[in-house]
Structures are given as C-alpha cells and as structure tokens.
Amino acid sequence: MRITLLMVPLFGLALSAQGPVQPDWAKVDEETMRHFQAVLRMDSTDPPGREKEVADYLQQVLEKEGIPVQVFAKEAHRPNVVARLKGNGAKRPLLLMAHTDTVNVDPAKWTHPPFGAVRDGGYVYGRGTVDDKDNVAATLMVMLMLKRLNVPLERDVIALFEAGEEGSTSIGIQFMANEHFDAIDAEFCYAEGGSVTRVGGAVKYASVQTVEKIPRAITVTARGVAGHGSVPLESNALAHLGEAVGKIATWTPPMRLNETTAAYFKRLATVSTPEEAERYRALLSPDPKISGPADDHMRKHEPRHWSMLRTSLSPTIIGGGYRTNVIPSEGTATIDTRLAPDESADEFLELVRKVVSDPQVEVTYGARDTRPPTAPMKLDSDAFKAIEANITKHYQTVTLPTMSTGATDMAFLRRKGIQCYGIGPATDSEDGPKGFGAHSDQERILESELFRFVRFNWDAVVELARAR
Ligand SMILES: [Zn+2]
C-alpha cells in the first residue's frame, strides 16, 4: 500500500502523455453505488428542502479523505457545501456543481419506494436518480479520486453541492453567487443541464447546454363595461381577452439563431434521417422561402425545436368573471414567455402589443423569478473541447451545443463571468413516455450509465485541470 501511494504521483507524471494513472474502476463503481444509494435514501424534497442530511453526509465523506470543506447556510437546515482541491495556480479554477434537493413525490405513483434506492433489472430507482443526485455522486467521486491519486492540478477543482435548486435559489445559488462568490469563483463550471440520448438502447447524440432562454411572464389584462349577461356588449372584457390570447398563441415571433442553436441544428442533421437533416439544414438558410416551411414543420411536429428558434409565448393561466349573469369589467391572462438570449425585452413587448392591437387590452410584464440573460458560452474553450473529446471517447457520438428552453442555476454563474457547460448521463428516450425521468411520476437511471457518467466526468475534469 505504501509503495502504491508513493508510486502514484510518479506514474501520474510519467504517464502524462496519456493522462494520469487510472483509478481502479471496479472499486470506483462499487463506491459510486454506495454513495449514490446513501444520498438517494435521504429525503431532500424541496419544498420544504431538507438538504442538511445530504450536506452532512458529503461533508463527512470529503473530510474523512482530507479534503477541506466549507459550509455556507442562509438557513441552517439548508446548507451549501464547498470542497476545494488546490492546484498550482497556473490557471483559474474549475467548478463542479450539483444540487442536493429534489422535486416532490407522490408515493402512490411509485412501484419502488421513492427513497429506497432499489436496484432492479440494471436500474436504480428513486427520486433524484437523474436530477440531480447522479451529478452529486459523480462530483463526489471525482473529488475523492483526484485526492487519492494525488493528481497534480494546474487549477483548483472546486465542488459546490448546492441547496434549493428546485425553486428556492435565494438560499442556494443566489446566496452563493451574491454573498460567497469568492468560495466558488472559477473560469469554468460543469453542472447539470446536458444529456446523452439513447434510442433503442444505442446512443444517438449528446447535448451540452451552453446557453438558456430567459423566463419572463407577460400579463394580458382586458377591460370593458360591466353589465347584465342578458344584454351582450361589444366591449365584453372576456371576449377581448380571449381574442388577444388567441392572437398571441397563434403568432410566430421572428426567428433568431445564435452560435449555439446554429451549431445544434447543423450537427443534429449529421445524425438524422435524410428528410430530417434536410429540414434542420433548411432552418439555417437566410432565405425565408427555404427556412419558412421547415420552421412550420417544427411548430407542428417538433415544438421544442420551434421554441429553440425564437422567443416563445405560451398562455398558461386565464381568469375573469364570477357569475353567469354578470359581464365582468376585467379579465387577465398570463403568458409564459421565454426570451431568446439576445432578445430585447422591451422591444419584444412592443411587438406583442402590436399583435394584440386592441385599446381595451393592456400588455405588460408581470412578476416572476427570472434569470439574468447571458450570451452563449464559447464553443472553442478548453472546457468545451475537454467535454466534446470525452463524449467522443466514452459515448462515440456527436456533441450538440444546446440552448435550454428552460432555466438553470448556471445563469447566475454565467452572469458572474464563469463559462458554464451543462452535462448529464445517458438516458433512454423511451423512458420519458413511460413515466420515468426528471420531475416525472417515477425516476430511474441505468446503473451502467451512472458508471459511464462517472468515467466521463473523471476524464473531462482531469483533461481540463491536470498539470502537464
Ligand atoms: Zn436539477
């Protein structure tokens, strides 16, 4: 044992052309599963958020290994855990981020208990298996292995296990970014938000999240004269509201491509059927006669792709009126609005007002927890290159830089200048419709894919952070 410990750093240096000495993967798999099951068995559903048990566990595992840990808690029972491995300071740090909370469960919907971490048929079942305790386990294992193998680093590697991602960012990422940024400041960050998609058991492509849309809410308020329901009025507020909502929902906001989405469709075409590929390439054409029909096809058949091409609008709440025989004087609707990252919020609102074009209807932004807008991450950065090279190595597939239509905690870090990339393990595309997936009735991960994700993480971190 003593010889091994002494030899490892030497091997690490001696074999630097191929990378440092590799971990004993059979043992790593076993330990990964042990930590993964341990944190899955802790109920950290948010709300109310009970991340402390997970945080305490991670702190204890890391400290036992001699890795220094700092704990930052805005609310005592919801701590954020930061661990740091020091590099030689030649380059700025790499941050690995994973959240310790999960969404809630309806236990009646679960075949296996949601906090049982049951292994069955090659899967592990439990809330958090793909969101985000997979990243928690992978980050933990990378930190432990870097320390044990004493890998020489040219930049610090920081792990942030954050609370409150699922709806309480004020005690999680916002608290860390606003009040303890020194503890997590880095050049690059890897976090959740990407994925590897399998179809029929074979890997089809990998998504790496490099930018996201900005959530806003538009409030549509229609006003008219109140009156008796037996006497129809042209100014009926609900009729005007309905018409306005209809116009908004059927309008096609202008198409906007950015570096990420252009690369996404271009690369997606390389792993698609000839017909699909032709449409994806057509979307990139500056000629609306070519891009238009492809865009229409997306609207009908690939709504997520249609949303990736523009700022999107979905009516989600509508209300007004209280009695059958009373015409109300007011009705309101809420439109879930996802701004493209380079969209001007004010100019876009003007466009929506023109679409509605009704003096009885007011269109404004309503209150919503939002995220700061950021430009797409660089696709030629060392971090993106390390991720892409190791997707090729571990998954033998194409890497699609991806814009999320939803929002993630990475937005707060990108705003502070950290280049963040969202990654994730492979899941079967057939699993979602069966009711397994992030935020689904049930959740599961393939054991083999959890292990592959740890290997991928290890190589992507070592490649970016080790001293050469
Ligand atoms: Zn998550």
Side-chain angles (χ1 to χ4, degrees):
M1 197 62 202
R2 174 169 297 173
I3 290 168
T4 313
L5 284 173
L6 285 171
M7 294 295 280
V8 162
L10 295 176
F11 277 22
L13 292 172
L15 296 179
S16 63
Q18 290 97 20
V21 67
Q22 285 291 314
D24 177 343
W25 286 110
K27 282 199 178 130
V28 171
D29 290 349
E30 196 187 322
E31 187 178 355
T32 298
M33 186 53 68
R34 183 156 50 80
H35 294 311
F36 187 54
Q37 285 184 302
V39 294
L40 286 172
R41 286 178 180 138
M42 297 165 186
D43 176 354
S44 53
T45 48
D46 175 13
R50 314 171 212 215
E51 297 93 337
K52 188 163 190 325
E53 198 182 357
V54 181
D56 287 350
Y57 179 86
L58 297 169
Q59 180 180 6
Q60 165 239 311
V61 171
L62 290 158
E63 283 181 344
K64 205 173 130 201
E65 214 72 32
I67 300 172
V69 172
Q70 290 174 288
V71 177
F72 302 93
K74 188 169 181 184
E75 290 174 17
H77 63 295
R78 310 196 66 181
N80 301 281
V81 174
V82 176
R84 181 185 293 260
L85 292 167
K86 295 291 285 180
N88 65 18
K91 292 192 175 163
R92 297 184 56 229
L94 165 62
L95 175 68
L96 311 176
M97 179 164 79
H99 64 87
T100 52
D101 60 329
T102 69
V103 290
N104 297 95
V105 297
D106 175 358
K109 302 264 168 66
W110 289 73
T111 310
H112 298 288
F115 306 105
V118 172
R119 297 171 71 173
D120 185 14
Y123 290 92
V124 186
Y125 289 80
R127 182 53 92 213
T129 44
V130 289
D131 182 16
D132 185 34
K133 289 175 175 174
D134 50 337
N135 270 297
V136 169
T139 295
L140 177 64
M141 289 310 298
V142 167
M143 295 299 279
L144 297 179
M145 291 188 283
L146 287 174
K147 173 75 175 165
R148 286 175 196 160
L149 296 177
N150 200 15
V151 177
L153 301 171
E154 66 179 356
R155 53 173 102 235
D156 291 4
V157 176
I158 308 168
L160 167 60
F161 301 100
E162 39 145 9
E165 192 273 343
E166 303 287 0
S168 341
T169 53
S170 64
I171 60 102
I173 193 62
Q174 284 189 279
F175 173 62
M176 292 306 298
N178 295 337
E179 292 177 46
H180 299 287
F181 190 63
D182 282 357
I184 56 169
D185 190 9
E187 181 175 11
F188 298 116
C189 169
Y190 298 161
E192 68 169 348
S195 59
V196 177
T197 299
R198 302 185 358 158
V199 179
V203 168
K204 192 160 180 218
Y205 54 81
S207 288
V208 175
Q209 201 254 50
T210 51
V211 68
E212 57 194 59
K213 296 175 89 175
I214 304 119
R216 297 293 296 261
I218 287 179
T219 305
V220 181
T221 308
R223 295 188 183 87
V225 178
H228 199 286
S230 66
V231 182
L233 298 174
E234 280 197 343
S235 76
N236 186 311
L238 297 189
H240 284 259
L241 180 66
E243 202 181 330
V245 169
K247 283 177 181 169
I248 288 171
T250 50
W251 178 49
T252 296
M255 200 194 270
R256 306 183 86 90
L257 285 164
N258 57 48
E259 189 192 1
T260 285
T261 51
Y264 173 89
F265 286 109
K266 195 173 159 201
R267 293 185 186 193
L268 184 60
T270 66
V271 288
S272 300
T273 65
E275 289 142 58
E276 288 168 339
E278 199 185 327
R279 277 194 293 268
Y280 296 141
R281 291 195 186 103
L283 290 172
L284 305 175
S285 168
D287 180 354
K289 284 201 199 85
I290 296 171
S291 62
D295 189 29
D296 291 345
H297 182 92
M298 297 301 137
R299 171 150 219 175
K300 282 195 171 53
H301 304 289
E302 299 179 31
R304 196 174 68 89
H305 284 155
W306 191 76
S307 180
M308 282 168 66
L309 291 162
R310 55 180 40 80
T311 293
S312 68
L313 297 162
S314 289
T316 49
I317 306 173
I318 195 159
Y322 56 97
R323 272 186 76 101
T324 304
N325 62 0
V326 174
I327 298 171
S329 58
E330 193 173 306
T332 61
T334 302
I335 316 293
D336 184 348
T337 305
R338 306 289 174 144
L339 294 175
D342 62 343
E343 186 88 70
S344 153
D346 292 340
E347 285 170 27
F348 185 76
L349 193 64
E350 281 309 316
L351 285 180
V352 179
R353 284 177 175 148
K354 280 204 190 93
V355 166
V356 171
S357 180
D358 180 342
Q360 274 184 245
V361 178
E362 188 182 45
V363 179
T364 56
Y365 281 116
R368 177 172 204 174
D369 276 348
T370 186
R371 301 285 207 275
T374 62
M377 300 294 96
K378 294 188 187 113
L379 303 185
D380 60 357
S381 69
D382 289 344
F384 189 79
K385 284 185 202 155
I387 290 170
E388 187 171 19
N390 286 295
I391 283 172
T392 305
K393 175 178 169 185
H394 291 278
Y395 297 96
Q396 295 89 44
T397 196
V398 63
T399 298
L400 308 180
T402 303
M403 177 171 77
S404 289
T405 53
T408 77
D409 279 0
M410 286 187 284
F412 295 106
L413 299 179
R414 287 177 178 149
R415 189 62 166 181
K416 293 272 196 177
I418 304 181
Q419 293 266 314
C420 295
Y421 298 89
I423 55 177
T427 54
D428 289 315
S429 63
E430 299 85 357
D431 238 21
K434 287 182 198 160
F436 297 102
H439 298 213
S440 250
D441 276 352
Q442 302 186 74
E443 205 174 327
R444 68 181 180 183
I445 190 169
L446 279 160
E447 293 183 6
S448 55
E449 291 300 349
L450 175 68
F451 299 149
R452 173 149 65 163
F453 187 52
V454 174
R455 287 163 170 74
F456 159 76
N457 259 273
W458 164 256
D459 279 331
V461 170
V462 168
E463 185 161 335
L464 187 58
R466 82 186 155 91
R468 285 144 223 264

